[in-house]
Amino acid sequence: MATRLVALGDSVTAGLGDPIPGGGWRGYAAILADALGPHGQVEFSNVATSGATSRDLAADQLPRALSLRPTLATVLAGVNDTLRGTFDLPAIASDIEEVVGGLRRAGATVLTVRLPDPGLMLGIPDLVRRPLTRRVRAINTILDHVAHRHDTVHVDPARHPALYERRMWGVDRLHPSERGHRLLARLIAAELATRGVPLDSMPDAEPTGANPSAWASARWMAVEGTGWVVRRSRDFLPELARLVLNEAWHDIRGRAELLDQRFHNDLDHALRHLGAQPPVTGPRRTPSPSLHVATEDACP
């Protein structure tokens, strides 16, 4: 029986940052598909779209994924939710629950991925970092809850220091480079192996393509990066300015802990909302012995 791998997510899952000759993108999910087995034994479909939020995954990508009858599905969501003017945690939690629960009820083994710390990734000032980090922590907590509830193969690349190395990221610092995509594919493959999913081979750690030239990087930023900045300037940047001013106001008055308390209250509300959702029924899978990855790039 063929493994049918379907990848859901945003521009990272779509492969941005890992160009292929002749145009287009590959990315960690395609690299993972190659590691699972040869074409014919593994059927790979990528339904991820650039800019997708958790709502887009639930409303658009999930129906497409289910129509492909996946036996294995990857879900990487939430980054774009943190970069929007509105941040509705209960709605985000419901969408992630709908996606993961829907795939599990269809019989797929689901792989979920936690998000990295934007402060470590972007090297931004503390006042800017803190509100973004709260949002990422909230989504990671929701992902942890949903992963436990539905017994997903749950991967936390954010705890691996190698993820934050400059060479792992593209010129925009938002999308992995080919090396970063390969690191993510290796971490996912290792975790799948611990859950008894057979691998044909481990993904290679070293890139096969040439590093983008300075001209190619500048051109990409001019064509793609500028458009992203313009879109976010209309939506997220005004909200980020408000969040940073609020952070500074509370800092000056020694009341920063109030913002943390509000964050925890909002998160508790979102998790209570999830508590009304029915879990996937059926036996839990028993993890297999851990796969040792003897490559420092993969598991530092």
Side-chain angles (χ1 to χ4, degrees):
M1 177 180 173
T3 297
R4 293 187 295 275
L5 170 62
V6 179
L8 299 84
D10 54 27
S11 55
V12 173
T13 302
L16 264 69
D18 183 18
I20 56 178
W25 308 99
R26 177 180 48 184
Y28 76 87
I31 296 170
L32 176 65
D34 289 340
L36 289 170
H39 182 71
Q41 293 182 18
V42 177
E43 300 172 5
F44 172 59
S45 300
N46 194 334
V47 300
T49 55
S50 182
T53 62
S54 57
R55 179 86 294 258
D56 296 318
L57 266 71
D60 302 325
Q61 295 182 28
L62 178 60
R64 291 179 59 197
L66 293 176
S67 72
L68 296 166
R69 298 181 297 112
T71 58
L72 177 63
T74 65
V75 176
L76 201 169
V79 172
N80 286 305
D81 293 281
T82 69
L83 301 175
R84 291 295 188 271
T86 58
F87 188 68
D88 186 343
L89 264 182
I92 293 169
S94 292
D95 289 333
I96 293 174
E97 164 70 27
E98 181 179 349
V99 171
V100 175
L103 291 166
R104 287 288 287 120
R105 282 185 284 272
T109 297
V110 178
L111 186 143
T112 47
V113 183
R114 298 180 99 242
L115 308 180
D117 186 322
L120 293 176
M121 194 168 65
L122 298 173
I124 52 182
D126 193 51
L127 280 177
V128 181
R129 178 189 62 80
R130 288 205 299 261
L132 290 176
T133 297
R134 285 193 194 96
R135 289 186 170 192
V136 168
R137 286 177 178 170
I139 289 181
N140 279 341
T141 301
I142 289 167
L143 285 167
D144 292 344
H145 181 91
V146 171
H148 177 75
R149 184 180 187 85
H150 295 292
D151 191 29
T152 73
V153 181
H154 198 39
V155 180
D156 185 9
R159 68 184 176 87
H160 294 268
L163 182 75
Y164 299 103
E165 294 178 7
R166 179 64 186 87
R167 62 180 181 161
M168 296 296 176
W169 295 93
V171 64
D172 62 353
R173 301 301 295 268
L174 293 171
H175 299 96
S177 62
E178 180 189 349
R179 186 182 294 275
H181 277 284
R182 288 187 172 279
L183 172 63
L184 184 53
R186 286 173 64 80
L187 295 174
I188 291 171
E191 192 65 31
L192 284 173
T194 70
R195 300 295 294 266
V197 177
L199 298 174
D200 188 60
S201 63
M202 281 296 294
D204 291 334
E206 293 299 317
T208 58
N211 290 329
S213 65
W215 164 248
S217 296
R219 182 180 180 278
W220 191 93
M221 281 300 293
V223 175
E224 301 288 345
T226 301
W228 183 88
V229 169
V230 170
R231 290 191 296 274
R232 293 289 73 79
S233 294
R234 297 170 182 164
D235 175 23
F236 177 60
L237 291 186
E239 173 64 9
L240 178 60
R242 186 192 69 79
L243 291 172
V244 171
L245 288 173
N246 194 35
E247 199 80 36
W249 189 91
H250 281 80
D251 260 7
I252 291 171
R253 286 157 179 78
R255 302 172 64 184
E257 70 279 358
L258 291 180
L259 294 177
D260 291 328
Q261 187 58 52
R262 289 176 192 170
F263 157 73
H264 287 298
N265 291 342
D266 291 344
L267 182 56
D268 285 345
H269 175 65
L271 293 177
R272 284 197 301 271
H273 179 74
L274 276 187
Q277 302 286 347
V280 168
T281 58
R284 296 176 64 88
R285 297 186 300 278
T286 302
S288 299
S290 177
L291 174 70
H292 175 66
V293 181
T295 301
E296 63 180 7
D297 275 344
C299 292

